[in-house]
Amino acid sequence: MSDSESEFFIPVPQSMSGYRLDKSLSELLSGYSRSTIQHWLKDGLILVDNQVCKQKQRLGGGEMLHIRVPESESVDFVAQNMSLDVIYQDDEILVINKPAGMVVHPGAGNPDRTLLNGLLYLEPELGILPRAGIVHRIDKDTTGLLVVAKTERARQSLIAQLQNHSMSRKYVAVANGVMVSGETINEPIGRHRHDRIKMAVTHNGKPAITHVRVVEKFRCHSLIQAQLETGRTHQIRVHMSWRGHPLTGDSTYGGRIRLPTNPTSELMENLRAFNRQALHAQQLSLAHPMSNEWLEWTQPLPKDMLDLIRSLSDDAGTSYPLNDEGVLDIGHPE
């Protein structure tokens, strides 16, 4: 291997027995384009059990793929010096606490100043990885934790953990309305029929499961914990809106301001000033890609959510549900 290449190994699962090599690669190398994979096959950069193979070759399952990635395949995005809140980092992964207002990946309307651009400045070697090692996203105005892979072997491990639901992602949110109890929402999510920038519960969508636990009930709102089993776009926001309890501040999915009768002035001020969905990725747990050690991170809520929850609690005369560090005691979903 030359200094301008990176390499990694992927075992072919038994479930892919009988698959063509190119079909297996398109699934196992998610994030790389089909044309890029075909180019690597043609150039002998992908070996199956140390042998060069044709793209139409059938696999038996259990083979070992050896992939060499040329430096020229790096992500074509600009590295930008940005202030990133790095919670944890080692040779394989890093964990970021994302603030509200930061887009994770460049796209229409957000060509730069995204988390990806900041990651490329912080760790230039991430340019060799698809999406600079980003394996999951949280919305622009959602705060909290997400993990980024620093190597291809870590990326594959994290993707596998997301797919088999072993990675745990727990969120804290404020929802409109008083929920009676927690529940598991198991409803498919796809593109909205009439508004293509929105998602919706739809019969032909992809499976989506959210476990919801009610932590505290206020006069006109509920404090909830939501745990993702799947990771669809806007999943928590869409599920809660479908359930009739859109997140506070979420104008996209119906979270208009709701005020109880005769609210305190502080609550009225905080609700009117809260102009994003009240959603925070508080806890992230996963198996380390190399050591398999179980790791867990918890991130306190940002100030705007702390102020909102405190004013809701004061208005309702309930006990404040967060500890001194601004962390919700996360238990098991109902």
Side-chain angles (χ1 to χ4, degrees), residues 66-149:
H66 178 192
I67 299 99
R68 290 179 292 151
V69 181
E71 187 177 29
S72 60
E73 301 295 344
S74 61
V75 178
D76 188 22
F77 292 109
V78 176
Q80 294 175 306
N81 187 3
M82 299 168 60
S83 178
L84 299 182
D85 187 6
V86 179
I87 302 301
Y88 173 87
Q89 131 164 255
D90 61 26
D91 290 340
E92 300 293 327
I93 62 174
L94 59 86
V95 176
I96 299 289
N97 176 37
K98 190 189 83 65
M102 178 183 285
V103 175
V104 170
H105 189 279
N110 297 285
D112 60 7
R113 304 302 297 176
T114 70
L115 174 62
L116 183 146
N117 301 109
L119 287 170
L120 290 176
Y121 185 90
L122 180 69
E123 300 282 347
E125 63 271 21
L126 293 177
I128 199 73
L129 300 176
R131 302 183 183 90
I134 296 170
V135 295
H136 68 116
R137 306 184 190 186
I138 54 180
D139 298 337
K140 174 183 178 180
D141 288 325
T142 299
T143 57
L145 299 169
L146 77 163
V147 63
V148 177

Coordinates of all heavy atoms in Angstrom, one line a residue, residues 66-149:
H66 N -10.9 -6.9 0.8 CA -9.8 -6.0 1.1 C -9.9 -4.8 0.1 O -9.8 -5.0 -1.1 CB -8.5 -6.8 0.9 CG -7.2 -5.9 1.1 ND1 -6.0 -6.3 0.8 CD2 -7.1 -4.7 1.7 CE1 -5.1 -5.4 1.1 NE2 -5.8 -4.4 1.7
I67 N -10.1 -3.6 0.7 CA -10.3 -2.5 -0.2 C -9.2 -1.5 0.1 O -8.9 -1.1 1.2 CB -11.7 -1.8 0.1 CG1 -12.8 -2.8 -0.2 CG2 -11.9 -0.6 -0.7 CD1 -13.4 -3.5 1.0
R68 N -8.6 -1.0 -1.0 CA -7.6 0.1 -0.9 C -8.3 1.4 -1.5 O -8.7 1.4 -2.7 CB -6.4 -0.3 -1.7 CG -5.6 -1.4 -1.0 CD -4.3 -1.7 -1.7 NE -4.6 -2.4 -3.0 CZ -3.9 -2.3 -4.1 NH1 -2.8 -1.6 -4.1 NH2 -4.2 -2.9 -5.2
V69 N -8.3 2.4 -0.8 CA -9.0 3.7 -1.2 C -7.9 4.7 -1.6 O -7.1 5.1 -0.7 CB -9.9 4.3 -0.1 CG1 -10.5 5.5 -0.6 CG2 -10.9 3.2 0.4
P70 N -7.9 5.1 -2.8 CA -6.9 6.1 -3.3 C -7.2 7.5 -2.6 O -8.3 7.8 -2.4 CB -7.1 6.2 -4.8 CG -7.9 5.0 -5.1 CD -8.7 4.7 -4.0
E71 N -6.1 8.2 -2.4 CA -6.3 9.6 -1.8 C -7.1 10.5 -2.7 O -7.8 11.4 -2.2 CB -4.9 10.2 -1.6 CG -5.0 11.5 -0.8 CD -3.6 12.1 -0.5 OE1 -2.7 11.8 -1.3 OE2 -3.5 12.8 0.5
S72 N -7.1 10.2 -4.0 CA -7.9 11.0 -4.9 C -9.4 10.9 -4.8 O -10.1 11.7 -5.3 CB -7.5 10.6 -6.4 OG -7.9 9.2 -6.6
E73 N -9.8 9.9 -4.0 CA -11.3 9.8 -3.7 C -11.7 10.6 -2.5 O -12.8 10.4 -2.0 CB -11.6 8.3 -3.5 CG -11.2 7.4 -4.6 CD -12.0 7.7 -5.9 OE1 -13.1 8.4 -5.8 OE2 -11.6 7.2 -7.0
S74 N -10.9 11.6 -2.1 CA -11.3 12.3 -0.9 C -12.5 13.2 -1.1 O -12.9 13.5 -2.3 CB -10.1 13.2 -0.5 OG -9.8 14.1 -1.5
V75 N -13.2 13.5 -0.1 CA -14.4 14.3 -0.1 C -14.1 15.7 -0.7 O -13.1 16.4 -0.2 CB -15.0 14.5 1.3 CG1 -16.3 15.3 1.2 CG2 -15.4 13.1 1.8
D76 N -14.8 16.2 -1.7 CA -14.6 17.5 -2.3 C -15.3 18.6 -1.6 O -16.2 19.2 -2.2 CB -14.9 17.4 -3.8 CG -14.5 18.6 -4.6 OD1 -13.6 19.3 -4.1 OD2 -15.0 18.9 -5.7
F77 N -15.0 18.8 -0.4 CA -15.6 19.9 0.4 C -14.4 20.8 1.0 O -13.3 20.3 1.2 CB -16.5 19.4 1.5 CG -17.7 18.7 0.9 CD1 -17.9 17.4 1.1 CD2 -18.7 19.5 0.3 CE1 -19.0 16.7 0.6 CE2 -19.9 18.9 -0.1 CZ -20.0 17.5 0.0
V78 N -14.8 22.0 1.2 CA -13.8 23.0 1.8 C -13.6 22.8 3.3 O -14.6 22.7 4.0 CB -14.2 24.4 1.4 CG1 -13.2 25.4 2.1 CG2 -14.2 24.6 -0.1
A79 N -12.4 22.7 3.8 CA -12.2 22.7 5.2 C -12.3 24.1 5.7 O -11.7 25.0 5.2 CB -10.8 22.1 5.5
Q80 N -13.0 24.3 6.8 CA -13.2 25.6 7.4 C -13.0 25.6 8.9 O -13.5 24.7 9.6 CB -14.7 26.1 7.1 CG -14.9 26.3 5.6 CD -16.3 26.7 5.3 OE1 -17.3 26.0 5.7 NE2 -16.5 27.8 4.6
N81 N -12.3 26.6 9.4 CA -12.0 26.7 10.8 C -13.2 27.1 11.5 O -13.7 28.3 11.4 CB -10.9 27.7 11.0 CG -10.4 27.7 12.5 OD1 -10.8 27.0 13.3 ND2 -9.4 28.6 12.7
M82 N -13.8 26.2 12.3 CA -15.0 26.4 13.1 C -14.8 26.0 14.5 O -14.0 25.1 14.8 CB -16.2 25.7 12.4 CG -16.5 26.1 11.0 SD -17.6 25.0 10.2 CE -19.1 25.2 11.2
S83 N -15.6 26.5 15.4 CA -15.5 26.1 16.8 C -16.4 24.9 17.0 O -17.6 25.0 16.9 CB -16.0 27.2 17.7 OG -16.0 26.8 19.1
L84 N -15.8 23.7 17.2 CA -16.5 22.5 17.4 C -16.3 22.0 18.8 O -15.2 22.0 19.4 CB -16.0 21.4 16.4 CG -16.2 21.6 14.9 CD1 -15.7 20.5 14.1 CD2 -17.6 22.0 14.6
D85 N -17.4 21.6 19.5 CA -17.3 21.1 20.9 C -17.1 19.6 20.8 O -18.0 18.8 20.7 CB -18.6 21.5 21.5 CG -18.6 21.1 23.0 OD1 -17.5 20.8 23.6 OD2 -19.7 21.3 23.7
V86 N -15.8 19.2 20.9 CA -15.4 17.8 20.9 C -15.5 17.2 22.3 O -14.8 17.6 23.2 CB -14.0 17.6 20.3 CG1 -13.7 16.1 20.3 CG2 -13.9 18.2 18.9
I87 N -16.4 16.3 22.5 CA -16.6 15.7 23.8 C -15.6 14.5 24.0 O -15.2 14.3 25.2 CB -18.1 15.1 23.9 CG1 -19.1 16.3 23.7 CG2 -18.3 14.5 25.3 CD1 -18.9 17.4 24.7
Y88 N -15.3 13.8 23.0 CA -14.4 12.6 23.1 C -13.8 12.4 21.7 O -14.3 12.7 20.7 CB -15.2 11.4 23.4 CG -14.4 10.1 23.4 CD1 -13.7 9.7 24.6 CD2 -14.4 9.3 22.3 CE1 -13.0 8.5 24.6 CE2 -13.6 8.1 22.3 CZ -12.9 7.7 23.4 OH -12.2 6.6 23.4
Q89 N -12.5 11.9 21.8 CA -11.8 11.6 20.6 C -10.7 10.6 20.8 O -10.0 10.6 21.9 CB -11.4 12.8 19.9 CG -10.0 13.0 19.4 CD -9.9 14.1 18.4 OE1 -9.7 13.9 17.2 NE2 -9.8 15.3 19.0
D90 N -10.5 9.6 19.9 CA -9.4 8.7 19.9 C -9.0 8.5 18.5 O -9.4 9.2 17.6 CB -9.6 7.4 20.7 CG -10.8 6.6 20.2 OD1 -11.1 6.7 19.0 OD2 -11.4 5.9 20.9
D91 N -8.2 7.4 18.2 CA -7.8 7.1 16.9 C -8.9 6.7 15.9 O -8.7 6.7 14.7 CB -6.7 6.1 16.9 CG -5.4 6.6 17.5 OD1 -5.2 7.8 17.6 OD2 -4.6 5.7 17.9
E92 N -10.0 6.3 16.5 CA -11.1 5.7 15.6 C -12.3 6.5 15.5 O -13.0 6.5 14.5 CB -11.4 4.3 16.2 CG -10.3 3.3 16.2 CD -9.8 2.9 14.8 OE1 -10.7 2.8 13.9 OE2 -8.6 2.6 14.7
I93 N -12.7 7.2 16.6 CA -13.9 8.0 16.6 C -13.8 9.3 17.3 O -12.8 9.5 18.0 CB -15.1 7.2 17.3 CG1 -14.7 6.9 18.7 CG2 -15.4 5.9 16.5 CD1 -15.8 6.3 19.5
L94 N -14.7 10.2 17.0 CA -14.8 11.4 17.8 C -16.3 11.7 18.0 O -17.2 11.4 17.2 CB -14.1 12.6 17.2 CG -14.4 13.1 15.8 CD1 -15.5 14.1 15.9 CD2 -13.2 13.8 15.2
V95 N -16.6 12.3 19.2 CA -18.0 12.6 19.5 C -18.1 14.1 19.7 O -17.4 14.8 20.3 CB -18.4 11.9 20.8 CG1 -19.9 12.3 21.2 CG2 -18.4 10.4 20.7
I96 N -19.2 14.7 19.0 CA -19.4 16.1 18.9 C -20.7 16.5 19.6 O -21.7 15.8 19.5 CB -19.5 16.6 17.4 CG1 -18.2 16.3 16.7 CG2 -19.8 18.1 17.4 CD1 -17.0 17.1 17.1
N97 N -20.6 17.6 20.3 CA -21.8 18.2 20.9 C -22.2 19.3 19.9 O -21.6 20.4 19.9 CB -21.6 18.8 22.3 CG -22.8 19.5 22.8 OD1 -24.0 19.1 22.6 ND2 -22.6 20.6 23.6
K98 N -23.3 19.1 19.1 CA -23.7 20.0 18.1 C -24.6 21.1 18.6 O -25.6 20.8 19.3 CB -24.4 19.3 16.9 CG -24.6 20.2 15.7 CD -25.5 19.6 14.7 CE -26.9 19.7 15.0 NZ -27.4 21.2 14.9
P99 N -24.3 22.4 18.3 CA -25.2 23.5 18.8 C -26.4 23.6 17.9 O -26.4 23.1 16.7 CB -24.3 24.7 18.8 CG -23.4 24.4 17.6 CD -23.1 22.9 17.7
A100 N -27.4 24.4 18.3 CA -28.5 24.7 17.4 C -28.0 25.6 16.3 O -27.1 26.4 16.5 CB -29.6 25.4 18.2
G101 N -28.6 25.5 15.1 CA -28.2 26.3 14.0 C -27.1 25.8 13.1 O -26.9 26.4 12.1
M102 N -26.5 24.7 13.5 CA -25.4 24.1 12.7 C -25.9 23.0 11.9 O -26.5 22.0 12.4 CB -24.2 23.6 13.6 CG -23.1 23.0 12.8 SD -21.8 22.3 13.8 CE -20.9 23.8 14.3
V103 N -25.8 23.1 10.6 CA -26.2 22.0 9.6 C -25.1 21.0 9.7 O -23.9 21.3 9.7 CB -26.4 22.6 8.2 CG1 -26.7 21.4 7.2 CG2 -27.5 23.6 8.2
V104 N -25.4 19.7 9.6 CA -24.4 18.6 9.7 C -23.7 18.5 8.4 O -22.4 18.3 8.4 CB -25.1 17.3 10.1 CG1 -24.1 16.1 9.9 CG2 -25.6 17.4 11.5
H105 N -24.4 18.5 7.2 CA -23.7 18.2 5.9 C -24.2 19.3 4.9 O -25.3 19.7 4.9 CB -24.2 16.8 5.5 CG -23.5 16.3 4.3 ND1 -23.8 16.7 3.0 CD2 -22.4 15.4 4.2 CE1 -23.0 16.0 2.2 NE2 -22.1 15.3 2.8
P106 N -23.2 19.7 4.0 CA -23.6 20.7 3.0 C -24.8 20.2 2.1 O -24.9 19.0 1.8 CB -22.3 20.8 2.2 CG -21.2 20.4 3.1 CD -21.8 19.3 3.9
G107 N -25.6 21.1 1.7 CA -26.7 20.8 0.9 C -27.3 22.0 0.3 O -26.8 23.1 0.4
A108 N -28.5 21.9 -0.3 CA -29.2 23.1 -0.9 C -29.4 24.1 0.2 O -30.0 23.8 1.2 CB -30.5 22.6 -1.6
G109 N -28.9 25.3 -0.1 CA -29.1 26.4 0.9 C -28.1 26.4 2.0 O -28.0 27.4 2.7
N110 N -27.3 25.4 2.1 CA -26.2 25.4 3.1 C -25.0 24.8 2.5 O -24.6 23.6 2.8 CB -26.7 24.5 4.3 CG -27.9 25.1 5.0 OD1 -27.8 26.0 5.7 ND2 -29.0 24.4 4.8
P111 N -24.3 25.6 1.6 CA -23.1 25.0 0.9 C -21.9 24.9 1.7 O -21.0 24.1 1.4 CB -22.9 26.1 -0.2 CG -23.4 27.4 0.4 CD -24.6 26.9 1.2
D112 N -21.8 25.6 2.9 CA -20.6 25.5 3.7 C -20.9 25.9 5.1 O -22.1 26.0 5.5 CB -19.5 26.4 3.1 CG -19.9 27.9 3.0 OD1 -20.9 28.2 3.5 OD2 -19.1 28.6 2.5
R113 N -19.9 26.0 5.9 CA -20.0 26.3 7.4 C -20.8 25.3 8.1 O -21.6 25.5 9.0 CB -20.6 27.7 7.6 CG -19.9 28.9 7.0 CD -18.5 29.0 7.4 NE -18.3 29.3 8.9 CZ -17.2 29.3 9.5 NH1 -16.0 29.1 8.9 NH2 -17.1 29.6 10.8
T114 N -20.8 24.0 7.6 CA -21.5 22.9 8.2 C -20.5 22.1 9.1 O -19.3 22.4 9.1 CB -22.0 22.0 7.2 OG1 -20.9 21.3 6.5 CG2 -22.8 22.7 6.1
L115 N -21.0 21.2 9.9 CA -20.2 20.4 10.7 C -19.1 19.7 9.8 O -18.0 19.5 10.3 CB -21.1 19.3 11.4 CG -20.3 18.3 12.2 CD1 -19.5 18.9 13.3 CD2 -21.3 17.2 12.8
L116 N -19.5 19.2 8.7 CA -18.6 18.5 7.8 C -17.4 19.4 7.5 O -16.2 18.9 7.5 CB -19.3 18.0 6.5 CG -18.4 17.2 5.5 CD1 -19.3 16.2 4.8 CD2 -17.7 18.1 4.5
N117 N -17.6 20.6 7.1 CA -16.5 21.6 6.8 C -15.6 21.8 8.0 O -14.4 21.8 7.9 CB -17.1 22.9 6.4 CG -18.0 22.8 5.2 OD1 -19.2 23.0 5.3 ND2 -17.4 22.6 4.0
G118 N -16.2 21.9 9.2 CA -15.4 22.0 10.4 C -14.6 20.8 10.7 O -13.5 20.9 11.2
L119 N -15.2 19.6 10.5 CA -14.5 18.3 10.7 C -13.2 18.2 9.8 O -12.2 17.8 10.3 CB -15.4 17.2 10.5 CG -16.5 16.9 11.5 CD1 -17.5 15.8 11.1 CD2 -15.8 16.5 12.9
L120 N -13.4 18.6 8.6 CA -12.2 18.5 7.6 C -11.1 19.5 8.0 O -9.9 19.2 7.8 CB -12.7 18.9 6.2 CG -13.6 17.9 5.5 CD1 -14.1 18.4 4.2 CD2 -12.9 16.5 5.4
Y121 N -11.4 20.6 8.7 CA -10.3 21.4 9.2 C -9.7 20.8 10.5 O -8.5 20.9 10.6 CB -10.9 22.8 9.5 CG -9.9 23.8 10.0 CD1 -9.2 24.6 9.0 CD2 -9.5 24.0 11.3 CE1 -8.3 25.6 9.4 CE2 -8.6 24.9 11.7 CZ -7.9 25.7 10.8 OH -7.0 26.6 11.2
L122 N -10.6 20.3 11.3 CA -10.1 19.7 12.6 C -9.3 18.5 12.3 O -8.2 18.3 13.0 CB -11.3 19.4 13.5 CG -11.0 18.7 14.8 CD1 -10.3 19.7 15.8 CD2 -12.3 18.2 15.5
E123 N -9.7 17.6 11.4 CA -9.1 16.3 11.1 C -9.0 16.2 9.6 O -9.9 15.5 9.0 CB -9.8 15.2 11.7 CG -9.9 15.2 13.3 CD -8.6 14.8 14.0 OE1 -7.7 14.2 13.3 OE2 -8.5 15.0 15.2
P124 N -8.0 16.7 8.9 CA -7.9 16.7 7.4 C -8.0 15.3 6.9 O -8.5 15.1 5.7 CB -6.6 17.3 7.1 CG -6.3 18.2 8.3 CD -6.9 17.5 9.5
E125 N -7.5 14.3 7.6 CA -7.5 12.9 7.1 C -8.9 12.4 6.9 O -9.1 11.3 6.2 CB -6.7 12.0 8.0 CG -7.2 11.8 9.4 CD -6.7 12.8 10.4 OE1 -6.2 13.9 9.9 OE2 -6.8 12.6 11.6
L126 N -9.9 13.0 7.5 CA -11.3 12.6 7.3 C -11.8 12.8 5.8 O -12.8 12.2 5.4 CB -12.3 13.3 8.2 CG -12.1 13.1 9.7 CD1 -13.1 14.0 10.5 CD2 -12.4 11.6 10.0
G127 N -11.0 13.5 5.1 CA -11.4 13.7 3.7 C -11.4 12.5 2.8 O -12.0 12.4 1.8
I128 N -10.8 11.4 3.3 CA -10.7 10.2 2.5 C -12.0 9.4 2.7 O -12.3 8.5 1.9 CB -9.5 9.3 3.0 CG1 -9.2 8.3 1.9 CG2 -9.7 8.7 4.3 CD1 -8.6 8.8 0.7
L129 N -12.8 9.7 3.7 CA -14.0 9.0 4.1 C -15.3 9.6 3.5 O -15.4 10.8 3.3 CB -14.2 8.9 5.6 CG -13.1 8.2 6.4 CD1 -13.4 8.3 7.9 CD2 -12.9 6.7 6.0
P130 N -16.2 8.8 3.1 CA -17.5 9.4 2.6 C -18.1 10.2 3.7 O -18.1 9.9 4.9 CB -18.4 8.1 2.4 CG -17.4 7.0 2.2 CD -16.2 7.3 3.1
R131 N -18.6 11.4 3.3 CA -19.2 12.4 4.3 C -18.3 12.7 5.4 O -18.7 13.0 6.5 CB -20.5 11.9 4.7 CG -21.5 11.6 3.6 CD -22.9 11.2 4.2 NE -23.8 10.9 3.1 CZ -24.0 9.7 2.6 NH1 -23.3 8.7 3.1 NH2 -24.8 9.5 1.6
A132 N -17.0 12.6 5.2 CA -16.0 12.9 6.3 C -16.2 12.1 7.5 O -15.9 12.6 8.6 CB -16.0 14.4 6.6
G133 N -16.7 10.9 7.4 CA -16.9 10.0 8.5 C -18.2 10.2 9.2 O -18.5 9.5 10.2
I134 N -19.1 11.1 8.8 CA -20.4 11.3 9.4 C -21.3 10.1 9.1 O -21.5 9.8 7.9 CB -21.0 12.6 8.9 CG1 -20.2 13.8 9.4 CG2 -22.5 12.7 9.5 CD1 -20.6 15.1 8.8
V135 N -21.8 9.4 10.1 CA -22.6 8.2 9.8 C -24.1 8.4 10.2 O -24.9 7.6 9.9 CB -22.1 7.0 10.6 CG1 -20.7 6.6 10.0 CG2 -22.0 7.2 12.1
H136 N -24.4 9.4 11.0 CA -25.8 9.8 11.3 C -25.9 11.3 11.5 O -24.9 11.9 11.7 CB -26.3 9.0 12.5 CG -25.7 9.4 13.8 ND1 -26.3 10.0 14.8 CD2 -24.4 9.3 14.2 CE1 -25.5 10.2 15.9 NE2 -24.3 9.8 15.5
R137 N -27.0 11.8 11.4 CA -27.2 13.2 11.5 C -28.2 13.6 12.6 O -29.1 12.8 12.9 CB -27.7 13.8 10.2 CG -26.8 13.4 9.0 CD -27.3 14.1 7.7 NE -26.6 13.6 6.5 CZ -26.7 14.0 5.3 NH1 -27.5 15.1 5.1 NH2 -26.1 13.5 4.3
I138 N -28.2 14.9 13.0 CA -29.3 15.5 13.8 C -29.6 16.8 13.1 O -28.7 17.4 12.4 CB -28.9 15.7 15.3 CG1 -27.6 16.4 15.5 CG2 -28.8 14.3 16.0 CD1 -27.3 16.6 16.9
D139 N -30.9 17.2 13.2 CA -31.3 18.3 12.4 C -30.6 19.6 12.8 O -30.0 19.7 13.9 CB -32.8 18.5 12.7 CG -33.7 17.4 12.2 OD1 -33.2 16.6 11.3 OD2 -34.8 17.2 12.7
K140 N -30.7 20.6 11.9 CA -30.0 21.9 12.1 C -30.3 22.5 13.4 O -29.4 22.9 14.1 CB -30.4 22.8 11.0 CG -29.9 24.3 11.1 CD -30.4 25.2 10.0 CE -29.9 26.6 10.2 NZ -30.4 27.5 9.1
D141 N -31.5 22.5 13.9 CA -31.9 23.2 15.1 C -32.0 22.2 16.3 O -32.6 22.6 17.3 CB -33.2 24.0 14.9 CG -32.9 25.2 14.0 OD1 -31.8 25.8 14.1 OD2 -33.8 25.6 13.3
T142 N -31.6 21.0 16.1 CA -31.6 20.1 17.2 C -30.1 20.1 17.8 O -29.2 20.2 17.0 CB -31.9 18.6 16.8 OG1 -33.2 18.6 16.3 CG2 -31.8 17.6 17.9
T143 N -30.0 20.0 19.1 CA -28.7 20.1 19.7 C -28.3 18.7 20.2 O -29.1 17.8 20.3 CB -28.7 21.1 20.9 OG1 -29.8 20.6 21.9 CG2 -29.0 22.5 20.5
G144 N -27.0 18.6 20.5 CA -26.6 17.4 21.2 C -25.6 16.5 20.5 O -24.8 17.0 19.6
L145 N -25.5 15.2 20.9 CA -24.4 14.3 20.6 C -24.6 13.6 19.3 O -25.6 13.1 18.9 CB -24.3 13.3 21.7 CG -24.0 13.9 23.1 CD1 -24.1 12.8 24.2 CD2 -22.6 14.5 23.2
L146 N -23.5 13.5 18.5 CA -23.4 12.6 17.4 C -21.9 12.1 17.3 O -21.0 12.8 17.7 CB -23.9 13.2 16.1 CG -23.0 14.1 15.3 CD1 -23.6 14.3 13.9 CD2 -23.0 15.5 16.0
V147 N -21.8 10.9 16.8 CA -20.5 10.3 16.6 C -20.0 10.3 15.2 O -20.8 10.2 14.3 CB -20.5 8.8 17.1 CG1 -21.4 7.9 16.3 CG2 -19.1 8.2 17.2
V148 N -18.7 10.5 15.0 CA -18.1 10.6 13.7 C -17.0 9.5 13.6 O -16.2 9.4 14.6 CB -17.5 12.0 13.4 CG1 -16.8 12.0 12.0 CG2 -18.6 13.0 13.5
A149 N -16.9 8.8 12.5 CA -15.8 7.8 12.3 C -14.6 8.5 11.8 O -14.6 9.4 11.0 CB -16.3 6.7 11.4

